[in-house]
Amino acid sequence: MNLEVKQKIFEAIHSSETVIISRHRRPDGDAVGSTMGLARILRLTYPKKRVFLDNEDASDYLAFLGSEGERPTDADYENALVIVLDTGTLDRISNCRVLNGRMLIKIDHHIDDKPFGDLSWVEEERSSACEMVTDFYLSFRDKLKLDAEAATYLYTGMVTDSGRFRYRGSDAGTMRCAAALLEQGVDTETIFAHLYMDDFSILRFHAALTNRIRLTESGVAWLRISRAMRRRRSLSMEEASNVVSLMDSIKGSLIWIALLENDDGSVRVRLRSRFVEVQELATHYHGGGHACASGATVYSREEEAALLAEADALLKRYKETHTGWL
Ligand code: AMP
């Protein structure tokens, strides 16, 4: 699929001496895996090219994948090809220099409501950007090189963004890509140990929080983590944000929402759903994302209440017109 744009991307990479790769802020497994995976493929294939990762933030729980290496200087940008992965909009990129290169390419699987780049390859139905990088490798496998290290980065992003192959978008194509990565000798046991094992204190925190989950009238599950709660437990924002998964299997709660108070008082909203689409709701509150996994920000208690009321109305409408799992 999309062979023409992939061919153009391949040619742009092939003819560039310097390639700089970036992703979105507050990175997840897919953002880190796809950028590190593509960088590794390009370094293996083209040892003479200068390949950089350039990002302004990092994620503790993905530190096991290793460092992103030395960042490029301003001079390195002068004739560089810049590739941004897993990022729907320019303002979410974790690198304020992306427009300083010779050419900008977007490779992404988010809903493309704010396109950018001189070349853009977006497939919204893909389960992850890592799947797209793997597909790119498979399209040019006679010219590109992959090894166990690159496959480990890409497999980590595939399993995290697809909810371990459970979410919508995980299809036969996803499995074919996963198989190609596993054939390189990915150590899945070690990846899953890193992804699943938590400190005992986190387990106890989750147990306490389960009692604080609330349901709206129509069944939207939600949980609010205040700054004070985070401080009391010495939790990072990243650790607190994982609570969204505590609500993912409540029958009838086809939408679930974590409200996470930032240090500046604004509230990061993590929206998740089954069957019902929440992406549009997220766009009403300074956000966006995927049909069933989106993010947003609210700036007051009133806006927070309005978002919950809108989610409740959305679920109510869905339940009026559908049966099953309700
Ligand atoms: P999160 O809850 O932060 O994991 O985000 C879920 C999905 O929505 C991810 O694919 C994010 O990249 C995307 N997302 C999160 N926040 C925003 C935002 N403010 N604007 C657009 N997309 C977002």
Side-chain angles (χ1 to χ4, degrees), residues 47-104:
K48 290 196 175 136
K49 283 193 201 301
R50 303 167 71 236
V51 179
F52 296 97
L53 290 156
D54 194 11
N55 295 295
E56 287 152 18
D57 63 350
S59 185
D60 288 346
Y61 84 101
L62 295 162
F64 74 92
L65 290 177
S67 139
E68 295 193 337
E70 200 178 314
R71 293 180 62 186
T73 63
D74 286 345
D76 292 323
Y77 270 86
E78 264 162 36
N79 210 21
L81 168 66
V82 181
I83 305 179
V84 175
L85 289 139
D86 194 37
T87 312
T89 55
L90 267 179
D91 60 343
R92 297 201 70 231
I93 301 174
S94 178
N95 172 6
C96 61
R97 299 187 290 180
V98 283
L99 298 176
N100 296 359
R102 173 180 51 83
M103 182 182 191
L104 178 63

Side-chain angles (χ1 to χ4, degrees), residues 11-209:
E11 282 159 18
I13 291 171
H14 196 73
S15 61
S16 299
E17 272 175 31
T18 305
V19 182
I20 299 174
I21 303 173
S22 292
R23 46 150 173 86
H24 64 76
R25 275 185 272 117
R26 224 159 42 199
D28 53 18
D30 194 26
V32 173
S34 60
T35 46
M36 291 182 73
L38 179 62
R40 176 74 184 165
I41 289 171
L42 299 190
R43 285 176 184 141
L44 283 170
T45 310
Y46 303 106
K48 290 196 175 136
K49 283 193 201 301
R50 303 167 71 236
V51 179
F52 296 97
L53 290 156
D54 194 11
N55 295 295
E56 287 152 18
D57 63 350
S59 185
D60 288 346
Y61 84 101
L62 295 162
F64 74 92
L65 290 177
S67 139
E68 295 193 337
E70 200 178 314
R71 293 180 62 186
T73 63
D74 286 345
D76 292 323
Y77 270 86
E78 264 162 36
N79 210 21
L81 168 66
V82 181
I83 305 179
V84 175
L85 289 139
D86 194 37
T87 312
T89 55
L90 267 179
D91 60 343
R92 297 201 70 231
I93 301 174
S94 178
N95 172 6
C96 61
R97 299 187 290 180
V98 283
L99 298 176
N100 296 359
R102 173 180 51 83
M103 182 182 191
L104 178 63
I105 294 179
K106 173 185 189 180
I107 300 177
D108 188 35
H109 70 130
H110 292 90
I111 292 169
D112 199 18
D113 50 6
K114 288 184 189 156
F116 65 85
D118 304 297
L119 263 180
S120 172
W121 172 31
V122 177
E123 291 189 21
E124 293 171 5
E125 60 293 345
R126 289 279 189 180
S127 69
S128 63
C130 282
E131 181 183 323
M132 294 177 71
V133 174
T134 310
D135 172 87
F136 184 75
Y137 159 74
L138 291 173
S139 302
F140 302 100
R141 66 187 314 168
D142 52 332
K143 300 186 181 86
L144 295 173
K145 290 188 182 153
L146 181 77
D147 67 355
E149 184 181 325
T152 299
Y153 300 142
L154 295 170
Y155 194 78
T156 301
M158 281 185 80
V159 296
T160 49
D161 237 38
S162 67
R164 320 300 183 250
F165 305 116
R166 281 179 305 143
Y167 302 154
R168 202 186 273 187
S170 302
D171 57 14
T174 310
M175 296 307 173
R176 276 191 286 273
C177 288
L181 298 175
L182 291 175
E183 276 165 2
Q184 297 294 324
V186 176
D187 176 359
T188 53
E189 196 173 3
T190 298
I191 292 177
F192 287 124
H194 282 293
L195 293 177
Y196 279 103
M197 289 172 75
D198 253 335
D199 290 337
F200 186 49
S201 60
I202 299 285
L203 193 72
R204 293 183 65 139
F205 175 59
H206 285 177
L209 282 178

Side-chain angles (χ1 to χ4, degrees), residues 217-231:
E217 207 178 316
S218 302
V220 175
W222 64 279
L223 190 50
R224 190 178 200 284
I225 313 276
S226 65
R227 276 177 286 190
M229 276 164 84
R230 273 198 291 121
R231 235 175 274 132

Side-chain angles (χ1 to χ4, degrees), residues 234-250:
S234 306
L235 287 174
S236 66
M237 192 60 172
E238 190 174 303
E239 287 165 328
S241 71
N242 292 334
V243 302
V244 72
S245 58
L246 293 178
M247 300 176 279
D248 71 1
S249 306
I250 306 170

